[in-house]
Amino acid sequence: MQLYKTQTLKIYNSLSGEKEIFTSINERNVGMYVCGPTVYSNVHLGNVRTFMSFDVIFRYLLHLEYKVRYVRNITDVGHIVDDVDEGEDKIAKKARIEQLEPMEIVQRYTVDFHSILDKYNFLPPSIEPTATGHIIEQIEIVQQIIEKGYAYEVNGSVYFDVIKFNETHNYGKLSGRNIEDMLANTRDTEGQSDKKNAPDFALWKKAEPEHIMRWPSPWGIGFPGWHLECTAMSTKYLGETFDIHGGGMDLKFPHHECEIAQNEACTGHSPVNYWMHANMLTLNGKKMAKSTGNNILPSEIFSGESPFLSKSFSPNVARFFMLQAHYRSILDFSNDAILAAEKGFNRLMEGLQLLVEIEPNAVSTLDILSWKNACYDAMNDDFNTPILIAQLFEGIRFVNILNDKRETITASDLEILKTTLETFVYNILGIRNEKEVSNNSEKLEGVVSMLIEMRNEARVNKNWSLSDEIRDKLLEIGIQLKDGKEGTSFNL
């Protein structure tokens, strides 16, 4: 019998505001869509925390023996600066400032995104579609919405008619907003916008002459609105109604609210059964922001090159730190907090290493089965990783008292203790096995050192193309070479 049939998983549904028993639309199959990054800058730590929450959710669903199709998109067009309908696309703006092709910007920061997530031991999604790869599907959805009477075209742009939609649907049901408040709190845009009503949002935008990213459409040359891509890609790969849609709390409005409206306008029914939102990460009690300097990059944690840190920390410690808070709770990052997490992490690893020294007995004086069930209860309660971690430390307490001969355990119970600890730590929480990491690092360092020698030989022979190719290929997988007076060093 599959494990999911013996476990009652409850998920907090942002739409209902309650924990609900999870039942997939198709037995054993789960469709999950998570809003991915807009690749115009380095991924920030808050993004990593959000994606980590859904990585753990993905891992646990797989552990329960569901077949999961996990779709996480790459936004490489359509995301307007400041999340409004007027202005410049974030990627186009970055390309203009740096005098690069937009796809160069996209490639650079997509590589950075994948490199960082790999260091944090993320599982890759089943499908990672891009917005630019689904322009045709987005145009088709706009046409459907127009045909249903919920959108209108003005001067080459197409807008979703929120007021018309709200006559028969409930725009704002996810975020708890209502049209009257939206209208009352929005300044008069008459004469400044093509929109009929202030809450209306863009489905397709006319590309002005200076706009770099542009495609032909029935309404002229333009580009898609930000909200449209997720509707197109989620329904293409998961169907008109799927199980789970996730993202950061900041996406609840307007992004996810607009997604619901777009889907319902096309199909007449709700697109998602369970909406999930991960909360924000703060730094020293304040919102992270590049503009204020209250900001830290994920890579700076590994290097320790940040004024907010007293030392460097391993990706394992950083991951463990983030999972000590529930995904729906605000988590505050500070030097003291991650130092404390490091101590806890080391205690956990020491306990796991001590497991191999435990000798079985004829009798168990510990209730291992109840402890194992408590681990599952924690994850079944809306993926409660802090409670799970508390239970894992209880398991480590068992290890210590067994090692001290204060309690005894049978061989079968010892196997349950060992398997449960390793499964939840390595497979579900996604902590890398320290011994495996050490062995792999030694092998990788040897390979990189060999490539550096080959590069040095190429430079001596003035084979600059080979030298540059070795450097660039290593950079693509997140290994940066640094040439100095004492030779070439590298960062893994």
Side-chain angles (χ1 to χ4, degrees):
M1 180 181 291
Q2 288 87 12
L3 194 55
Y4 70 86
K5 293 182 178 179
T6 68
Q7 303 294 326
T8 302
L9 172 62
K10 290 186 177 181
I11 295 177
Y12 181 87
N13 192 341
S14 297
L15 193 59
S16 66
E18 297 177 353
K19 291 179 186 177
E20 301 175 7
I21 293 175
F22 177 71
T23 305
S24 59
I25 296 169
N26 300 305
E27 186 178 352
R28 200 178 179 184
N29 294 284
V30 175
M32 181 169 76
Y33 185 91
V34 173
C35 292
T38 302
V39 283
Y40 71 101
S41 64
N42 295 107
V43 62
H44 64 74
L45 202 58
N47 293 143
V48 171
R49 192 222 171 172
T50 295
F51 298 131
M52 188 179 295
S53 297
F54 290 100
D55 180 62
V56 170
I57 290 165
F58 180 35
R59 286 170 175 274
Y60 189 61
L61 291 171
L62 291 174
H63 174 73
L64 293 181
E65 296 178 84
Y66 282 110
K67 294 180 179 178
V68 186
R69 177 175 287 177
Y70 174 21
V71 183
R72 187 186 66 212
N73 71 298
I74 295 288
T75 297
D76 57 356
V77 70
H79 195 161
I80 304 297
V81 176
D82 298 326
D83 300 345
V84 295
D85 283 327
E86 306 301 327
E88 198 169 7
D89 182 284
K90 289 185 176 182
I91 292 164
K93 180 179 179 180
K94 186 81 170 193
R96 178 177 54 79
I97 291 172
E98 298 197 15
Q99 296 185 322
L100 295 171
E101 282 290 329
M103 286 302 111
E104 287 184 89
I105 297 295
V106 167
Q107 177 69 9
R108 175 191 298 174
Y109 295 114
T110 300
V111 168
D112 169 73
F113 175 68
H114 288 147
S115 174
I116 291 297
L117 263 56
D118 181 63
K119 284 183 171 64
Y120 278 96
N121 199 30
F122 280 63
L123 294 178
S126 313
I127 304 173
E128 192 174 51
T130 63
T132 55
H134 295 77
I135 298 296
I136 293 173
E137 290 86 348
Q138 293 178 73
I139 289 174
E140 289 174 350
I141 289 175
V142 176
Q143 290 175 313
Q144 291 176 40
I145 296 174
I146 291 174
E147 289 169 5
K148 296 290 178 70
Y150 294 117
Y152 56 91
E153 185 265 333
V154 181
N155 297 328
S157 293
V158 182
Y159 295 94
F160 189 95
D161 193 334
V162 170
I163 303 299
K164 177 71 179 297
F165 175 79
N166 201 58
E167 290 174 2
T168 51
H169 298 76
N170 181 10
Y171 182 80
K173 62 184 177 183
L174 179 66
S175 59
R177 305 186 184 207
N178 61 65
I179 292 293
E180 289 74 20
D181 288 343
M182 290 184 211
L183 290 170
N185 295 327
T186 306
R187 61 182 177 85
D188 183 14
T189 58
E190 187 175 352
Q192 301 176 26
S193 172
D194 291 330
K195 295 192 288 186
K196 288 182 182 178
N197 318 290
D200 295 352
F201 58 90
L203 296 172
W204 186 264
K205 286 292 292 179
K206 176 183 178 181
E208 299 301 330
E210 66 275 9
H211 197 92
I212 310 172
M213 305 180 82
R214 49 177 59 220
W215 290 265
S217 80
W219 317 284
I221 303 297
F223 59 98
W226 170 36
H227 315 301
L228 192 59
E229 63 176 279
C230 289
T231 294
M233 291 185 279
S234 63
T235 54
K236 176 171 182 174
Y237 298 111
L238 300 175
E240 287 186 358
T241 303
F242 53 95
D243 298 297
I244 298 171
H245 193 314
M249 198 77 75
D250 57 319
L251 297 181
K252 189 182 289 188
F253 186 89
H255 187 51
H256 290 162
E257 201 73 73
C258 294
E259 276 192 64
I260 292 174
Q262 290 167 166
N263 280 78
E264 291 187 355
C266 285
T267 66
H269 57 75
S270 181
V272 179
N273 286 349
Y274 303 87
W275 283 91
M276 301 182 69
H277 292 92
N279 217 324
M280 66 187 298
L281 181 74
T282 57
L283 177 59
N284 292 321
K286 298 177 182 178
K287 183 179 178 179
M288 283 196 189
K290 290 181 182 177
S291 59
T292 63
N294 196 56
N295 183 60
I296 183 170
L297 291 174
S299 58
E300 291 175 332
I301 294 175
F302 315 144
S303 67
E305 295 173 356
S306 168
F308 299 107
L309 296 174
S310 60
K311 61 187 287 291
S312 62
F313 297 90
S314 73
N316 259 346
V317 169
R319 185 175 178 108
F320 181 74
F321 162 76
M322 292 193 196
L323 296 178
Q324 286 183 310
H326 190 268
Y327 77 90
R328 287 191 290 113
S329 300
I330 293 174
L331 173 62
D332 188 53
F333 183 93
S334 69
N335 186 65
D336 288 344
I338 196 167
L339 279 171
E342 186 177 49
K343 290 180 181 178
F345 172 79
N346 290 337
R347 186 157 59 94
L348 186 64
M349 292 299 106
E350 288 164 5
L352 284 168
Q353 291 170 12
L354 196 60
L355 256 174
V356 296
E357 299 179 19
I358 304 300
E359 296 180 357
N361 197 286
V363 178
S364 280
T365 56
L366 296 169
D367 190 350
I368 299 299
L369 196 56
S370 292
W371 166 78
K372 175 184 175 181
N373 290 335
C375 291
Y376 278 99
D377 288 345
M379 287 302 288
N380 289 336
D381 183 17
D382 193 31
F383 311 98
N384 201 323
T385 55
I387 298 299
L388 170 63
I389 288 171
Q391 289 299 334
L392 294 177
F393 277 119
E394 177 69 2
I396 297 303
R397 187 181 72 84
F398 289 168
V399 172
N400 288 325
I401 59 179
L402 286 167
N403 185 61
D404 293 341
K405 312 296 185 185
R406 286 180 282 154
E407 302 283 357
T408 60
I409 191 170
T410 62
S412 59
D413 276 355
L414 179 59
E415 182 59 29
I416 292 173
L417 176 62
K418 180 177 183 292
T419 300
T420 304
L421 275 169
E422 291 181 348
T423 296
F424 277 93
V425 171
Y426 299 136
N427 297 345
I428 296 171
L429 291 184
I431 302 297
R432 277 196 170 105
N433 187 310
E434 290 285 313
K435 287 185 178 179
E436 291 180 5
V437 170
S438 178
N439 291 338
N440 289 337
S441 292
E442 288 178 7
K443 292 177 183 177
L444 181 58
E445 286 178 9
V447 172
V448 175
S449 296
M450 180 181 69
L451 288 170
I452 288 174
E453 288 179 14
M454 291 174 62
R455 179 171 174 263
N456 289 339
E457 185 177 343
R459 295 171 80 184
V460 168
N461 296 328
K462 298 184 178 181
N463 188 347
W464 308 119
S465 60
L466 178 58
S467 170
D468 291 346
E469 185 179 2
I470 292 172
R471 179 199 62 203
D472 295 342
K473 290 293 184 183
L474 287 172
L475 187 60
E476 283 180 16
I477 60 172
I479 300 172
Q480 184 176 11
L481 300 184
K482 293 183 178 180
D483 295 317
K485 294 179 179 178
E486 298 179 0
T488 302
S489 61
F490 61 93
N491 292 323
L492 295 178

